[in-house]
């Protein structure tokens, strides 16, 4: 049996969940709503535990609602998803963000991680310009199996957090800010040269990627309670 | 008691190992041999389990040899280190590299990870231009608690490996190649937009950073046998 | 007789087909519909075997329909064309693409190549994140006279394919993806430093250029059956 | 039998010639002379038709001389090679270059193409600032099965040649020039957006890549006389 | 008497024409229509020989029409102007452009140069992909007092023309093209490293700047017939 | 008592005014109107002396009007603010701008500085292309406690002013201009390498940042009359 | 009397100290030792209070020693200077640096500021990866009239300090680090988009510029005790 | 008779002087001394009025001395030249430079312009940080037929001069400065977006190109006295 479903315009990797513990997701940008719908159906028919559509405008989210009445969505984060068989949660991912504007990326990371079967705690708007605002997050940072830092502009939060915790830290630069923020490139570069060791980085605004690797790390490290 | 040692020109973070499970390391570039020597002594006096000097030229490595007769080194990888109390190994890190020229970065990642207390297996020169060369690595990739991919140029290996394994993947772009390789920037960007989810990336040639996060992931996930 | 037709705003190169075996095409961006129409008429009057309009919005496509009732078009690929005397097909071009979103660029390459007189086979969505999806394409890759790889993001597919086949490989980076994908620049750079030798690259999203050179290679190499 | 030879630090792809008609070559930069020597020996033992070392300084070239007394070399082009069983020449590659300083890259393309079994004609210093200097090349351009344009600075030669010939054109941007030449990046970008269709491009200074694809194109298209 | 008129939001340099032989012009982008109108009035009251508004959308052009019923305009080139006392024409500027899409920039250069008092001849769409299309322009290129080359993409036309004529050549890169054209940056860099000496360059799409310097050169060099 | 107010999506730093003499401001971009409104209310309840919303579209400004009937605004500068207890003015900030299009950024700097309690004088459109236009500003430049230069394009004004005055100079590059202006990046780089010492620079279009530091400098240096 | 001294190759601005309170300094890079010597003599003859040579290699420092036996120097910071009439110190500048490697830039800022007549306190190696190391600096940060933050890599220290103090903060990005540190460009961009308001930035490694503006700010704000 | 001399490695354009009034010059970088020597001999045999070698190290200059005992040279400007039949001087070129370090580029422009037959006046070190230093140049600026501005860093001098004179202005950005000077790219971009109209720009450090176009402009405009 072939380990993918050939739709002509797409070859849906229905064995990815089996192979890697995480089902293929659908990046809606660049796809027609009809394509989103067809791929989502194929994934469900391929017995995916969940289906997640990212960077989904209203038309793409509507496409997913046509696939399943139990589709959930978050318009601001441009997400839609169907949760069928989410694994029992193992491990803890703590997400901290630098500012209010990072909320959509935080949500994308959170939903992805939860669909893969881990617990997620979020501390929003803890940027270092008022470093005392990080205090309430300290306990959740220390007990986390993996920490995700979502921050734009200078992304200094990644270094500060990276210097405090013993868990692996995944940085997600965001495209907030203007001018020399360079649509997130400055935050990306900044996180990559963080003076704290033990920080690894995903693409700008890539909450999905961060959620994926964070869930893997946390599930392997964490207990199931 | 202050949690750091003030040398005037440097404030040595002697509590980092306690706080984060990994001692501060010494980036030799930009420091005089005398500074390297003094910081190394301070770390040992602060009871560090190990001391690692990276990007160390001959003078910097000689400085470490003055500190301790049991200093080890690797000239090509520009490393020198002193291992005093390395934690019992837990977990497995599998490192694959794209080409022969990536060897110094592989070595930096390996030494750092081993000093932090994890087992490391290396498969060198498994680049995708001859994808069958990856075959002997498959078993070690699948049983790894964390995979590190070290690759320059187009860094395609990160996506291929990232699509095969269930473990977290840390990508280390290298500065090999010329022209459009842009001293490793192309490999870095390429890994960041890898079509495989679950890959996170460290700085160009940053074997040290990769070794740090990989060891944390592997130790938390792995067993101690 | 002058080898071009002077329309005042444009000098239509009516001898290009004679000189180079491929008629001049019309890049619609930056031209008014009236200009597109006038150039298309001039090409037909200059006895062009075919007329192809690329990056054509609805107004530009309508302009071509006004020129000839037998104009064909593809809205998503922003193409319109008139096929009058297409040379008998010689040789085989195999196109593989990395993802569903690359479809418009694939179509542009395909139409151009077919108008120049070659056979084209397409394997869509064969990206390396699930490398087994490439398996059904292997036979068509091996019997091709020229291979075209259309891929965005990290464009790792170009290296994998480039390491498998003996035919010349033309890479077309696409502008899919976000953040560090840099509107296709990362895919472009990545293909240029592909670790597989024998890959040459055209501009981002330039299906037209890829179709042109691929048809030339395939026609010269291929048989006519 | 494994299709590669494992040297520990390298996995030599001894089947590449069989699979792709062109043996693996050795990029000397980043490798020690000992590694170059060992890989060259492995290739010869793997029955390679030829061995080519690129970007080879004197030490790397000496390493090849140690492998075989019949090693040839070109110091300025930083090349060394051993020709054992070069296929009978088929097809014609015509190389034109923009200026005298492009000579090393021309040589790299020429040697690679000849080792793969094709005839090569070179017209040096035919840049468009004195376009009449291109005249003596016209006949060789028109009878070529593949044309290679080697040019730095603005690389305008690629467009002029690309507008004249019916054969596929491979552009090789070079790192000559200063300031806004950006070490060859301007020539690279310029060739990629050449106003002539049918031009595909390889990496900056990558005579090796150009020779590889040009030989493949020419051999498939050309006759053997 | 102050040599400028203070409007509060602007200090109109009414002596520029006296000082430099060319009146201040109005870049409409970033100004409100009311500001455009007020500055234009001030210039006329300051006895400007002409008023030129560049990058003017419909609202900005309407503002100029309110100032004077004899305002002229060109919508595609986003220009509006009032000609009151244009100096008697001296000298000849020949403008050649690479493609049809460069027309708006050509028009901006032409209008500016004519308002400053020089004759202008235009040869459009003479790009080097069909270099014979340049033939009809040769005589006008040779008798010009200044040549302006307007070209996008690889801007190879600047080098070809720069190698043919004895007059000073001003290059205007344009933002046509896509992908690696980088919104005109590639054309700009390419012109700056033109292999033809005697070419100087203005900003991307800056027909205004080119018209200004070309008119100065031509008027000083040319006769008044 | 916690020194911030936790709104769930935001942690409002209500002690910033106490700690740093300047209340937190609200960057509207990336926030919903509801979030702007809630943060503004929290700041007022936290007893902020003033509330300033920057980069505020109509919806964001309306949100502030809902918070307080005494909200003021400037649509072109995308500002809205509430002034409750502005400190008595101390010191003088003189702002000079290069062109009319810089007006919104000038306004942002002015409002911020005045809300922090300093006097502000503005000289608009004093760009160096007509350097005599700077003359009326000279006295205000010399008596200023801090000078702010707002300029786009080549930002040459910063060097000219920087060479004239004894007070600290803060440069604000603006995103005016096109092509090689690179959305303000050229002005930014240019100010950073100003040949006048004593100039420091803030982000592109960052009138807010300039107003903040200028007010601090001027208040510390200035008298209160 | 002319306010500068014409040496032929240089016009020494002998009135700068009078006009701006700070004498012209000599950037040694790009100047011959003879030129450095002649300019230094001219400045002393022009009655400069001090002479400072920056980026001075051994030959340039020797040139200054030839000018005056009381010349002082710092080889690692590439500085040489002659202090004749330094103004009585007013105000306090506190400098904090991120790491040991930033020492030369710290020294350049310190010497310049002291020569202009202000007191300077330095806290080295207080990077945020171990944020407790900042504690001993807090008092000096709070009582400073101006704070200078010298930091490379991600320069996160600028945001942390910028969020703590009420004084103006001047950021100096340094070129320490490798790969994505981009020779200091990442630190520069990062400081420019610092999430803390009230930070202004000078060029990479520009301790001289920071010392200049910091001394001006501190002297104006500070008392003379 | 062919209008060029074929040396095998080079095609010397011996008709360029006839065709364009300026002989081909030799860019020494990338050429061997033997090639420089052979090309120089060919030019002299082709009856060139002068021979100019740019970017010439000692070996290249020695090569020219071997060609002719009357060769002149300037080591700091890396120039060597032979003047045989320089046209009678017509017109005046005034060169102003921003700083002492721009001297080599000034010299390259001067020698080239003089060899083409024009008078040259130089005002060095007139940068705008002390704008009064420009005063002695004003008369020569106003009577010039063409002005050349040589400046690095922010190149503000180009705008200031461009706003003062009626003659065409050619800007030459230089690679002086460090950090954000970006090896001259900032000066280049800055000149391109100069707020003064009538400025055109050549490549970074390209005194040769500036001298060429300036001489053409000045000779056409100027009288022969």
């Amino acid at each position: 049996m072939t380990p993918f479903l050939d739709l002509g315009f797409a070859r849906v990797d229905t064995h990815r969940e089996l192979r890697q513990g995480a089902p293929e997701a659908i990046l809606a940008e660049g796809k027609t709503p009809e394509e989103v719908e067809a791929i989502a159906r194929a994934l469900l028919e391929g017995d995916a535990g969940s289906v997640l559509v990212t960077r989904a405008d209203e038309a793409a989210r509507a496409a997913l609602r046509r696939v399943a009445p139990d589709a959930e969505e978050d318009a601001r984060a441009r997400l839609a998803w169907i949760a069928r068989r989410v694994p029992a949660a193992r491990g803890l991912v703590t997400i901290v963000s630098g500012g209010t504007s990072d909320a959509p990326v935080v949500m994308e990371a959170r939903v992805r991680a939860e669909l893969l079967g881990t617990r997620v705690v979020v501390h929003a708007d803890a940027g270092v310009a008022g470093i005392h605002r990080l205090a309430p997050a300290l306990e959740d940072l220390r007990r986390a199996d993996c920490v995700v830092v979502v921050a734009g502009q200078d992304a200094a939060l990644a270094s500060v957090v990276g210097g405090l915790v013993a868990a692996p830290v995944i940085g997600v630069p965001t495209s907030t800010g203007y001018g020399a923020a360079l649509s997130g490139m400055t935050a990306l570069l900044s996180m990559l040269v963080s003076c704290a060791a033990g920080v690894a980085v995903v693409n700008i605004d890539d909450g999905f990627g961060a959620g994926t690797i964070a869930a893997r790390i946390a599930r392997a490290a964490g207990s199931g309670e």
Side-chain angles (χ1 to χ4, degrees), chain A:
Chain A
M1 198 199 81
T2 61
F4 61 85
L5 210 75
D6 198 335
L7 305 178
F9 66 90
R11 293 180 176 168
V12 184
D13 189 353
T14 46
H15 272 218
R16 193 171 297 176
E17 193 163 7
L18 204 69
R19 197 171 71 241
Q20 302 195 267
E24 192 180 346
I26 306 170
L27 176 71
E29 274 182 352
K31 297 194 178 69
T32 64
E34 291 71 32
E35 289 174 346
V36 170
E37 185 176 342
I39 298 172
R41 284 192 200 284
L43 284 167
L44 285 185
E45 282 158 23
D47 207 25
S50 62
V51 174
L52 176 60
V53 189
T54 62
R55 300 181 86 88
D57 58 16
E58 170 51 29
R61 297 195 302 270
L64 198 70
R65 291 194 302 264
R66 282 196 298 276
V67 172
D70 58 330
E72 299 171 76
E73 68 183 284
D74 184 300
R76 191 182 184 190
R78 291 189 292 158
L79 289 177
W81 67 92
I82 300 165
R84 288 285 158 89
R85 285 173 300 97
V86 169
R90 290 179 58 89
L92 175 68
V93 172
T94 298
I95 305 179
V96 289
S97 78
T100 308
S101 312
D102 301 320
V105 179
V106 168
M107 177 60 75
E108 190 178 293
R110 171 177 218 154
V111 170
R112 172 64 168 177
E114 289 178 344
L115 289 178
L116 296 186
T118 195
R119 278 171 303 124
V120 177
V121 176
V122 173
H123 288 264
D125 196 26
V128 301
I131 205 166
H132 53 291
R133 294 182 302 179
L134 192 56
L138 288 180
E139 187 177 330
D140 285 334
L141 286 169
R142 287 192 179 123
R143 67 191 187 93
D145 295 300
C146 182
V147 170
V148 174
V149 178
V150 179
Q153 306 193 67
D154 62 350
L157 187 60
S159 281
V160 172
V161 169
L164 291 172
V165 302
V169 176
I170 303 298
V172 193
T174 62
S175 57
T176 57
Y178 57 90
L182 295 178
S183 305
M185 189 51 68
T186 297
L188 170 60
L189 293 166
S190 189
M191 283 181 169
L192 283 164
V193 293
S194 167
C195 45
V199 179
V201 184
V202 297
N203 191 13
I204 298 163
D205 290 338
D206 187 9
F208 172 75
T212 304
I213 190 168
R216 285 184 185 171
I217 293 170
R219 282 182 60 80
S223 61
E225 100 287 5

